[in-house]
Amino acid sequence: ADRVLKIIHVCCAPDYLSSLIKRPDLQENIFYFYNPNIYPLEEYERRLESFESTCKKSGVTFIRATYDPTEFNPGPQCLGEEEGGDRCTYCIELRLKKTAELCLKVGADSFTSTLLASPRKSLSSIDSAGKRVEDATGVFYEGGNLRCDRKSLSPLLKDVYVQNYCGCKSSLESVKKRRLEIEKRDQERFRRDYGSLIMLWRYREIGRASSRERV
């Protein structure tokens, strides 16, 4: 029987590696980098370079789409929205739909995504989006769980770029906002506790001096 060809959408190199650890059989298929959501261009290029480098080391077949950020247009109501809401649903479905369309072009039988390896994504939300795309295109969506344990993945990430936000401008701004809030909280805690710490330090110094005198 002819082998069933699958196209696997890739969101980033770390999740690509996690997918291969969980499912080594996926190496026999085509990996597709389509992520118009990634902002800014420099970040996109960094993730793309990491993806291509990792794929070449793995010896797999891969395709990269032309980067066109105007294709990612979730609407003004989604700007600034917390991760996991309508913006993310739109983003996931957009990328899965493009992957299914590529399947139709090249004659692949099914599609899936390394998004299923992301520890921060809802697997059920991804599967729901995949099923909607399947209904719309007629291409079979393969869901599941491509997360591997961190102990297996960590050694492979030594020379791989690991991003610190999901990808779009809103997610980047959300991360920056959280960092500022943490810094502000830490500064307030420092100012609040500084006097007590100085007193404790002086108290210990007096105690150590008394001990030396007794000796």
Side-chain angles (χ1 to χ4, degrees), residues 11-77:
C11 52
C12 62
D15 286 350
Y16 160 78
L17 289 168
S18 174
S19 300
L20 288 191
I21 292 172
K22 191 72 177 281
R23 290 273 309 278
D25 59 293
L26 292 177
Q27 291 189 77
E28 301 302 317
N29 297 281
I30 297 174
F31 292 85
Y32 180 49
F33 193 86
Y34 172 70
N35 299 288
N37 56 304
I38 297 176
Y39 173 90
L41 173 62
E42 292 78 14
E43 178 70 16
Y44 175 85
E45 291 175 338
R46 198 171 182 184
R47 296 191 194 192
L48 174 62
E49 180 183 6
S50 183
F51 158 74
E52 291 187 334
S53 174
T54 307
C55 282
K56 288 173 182 175
K57 288 178 182 177
S58 305
V60 303
T61 302
F62 63 90
I63 298 172
R64 64 171 177 176
T66 301
Y67 178 60
D68 183 1
T70 64
E71 293 180 3
F72 177 70
N73 184 24
Q77 73 278 7

Side-chain angles (χ1 to χ4, degrees), residues 143-208:
N145 183 342
L146 296 178
R147 296 169 180 166
C148 73
D149 63 278
R150 298 288 105 179
K151 188 176 180 180
S152 301
L153 181 59
S154 293
L156 301 180
L157 298 179
K158 184 179 179 182
D159 299 315
V160 174
Y161 172 58
V162 179
Q163 65 277 3
N164 57 14
Y165 67 101
C166 186
C168 72
K169 185 176 182 179
S170 291
S171 68
L172 174 59
E173 290 174 347
S174 179
V175 167
K176 287 180 178 178
K177 182 180 177 182
R178 282 199 298 272
R179 284 178 187 159
L180 288 173
E181 289 172 350
I182 291 170
E183 287 176 8
K184 182 180 178 182
R185 191 168 63 243
D186 288 345
Q187 287 172 0
E188 289 174 350
R189 185 181 300 153
F190 177 77
R191 284 194 293 267
R192 185 188 67 234
D193 298 339
Y194 179 73
S196 300
L197 291 171
I198 289 295
M199 288 180 64
L200 177 62
W201 178 74
R202 287 175 176 169
Y203 173 78
R204 288 177 174 171
E205 279 298 302
I206 292 171
R208 281 194 286 267

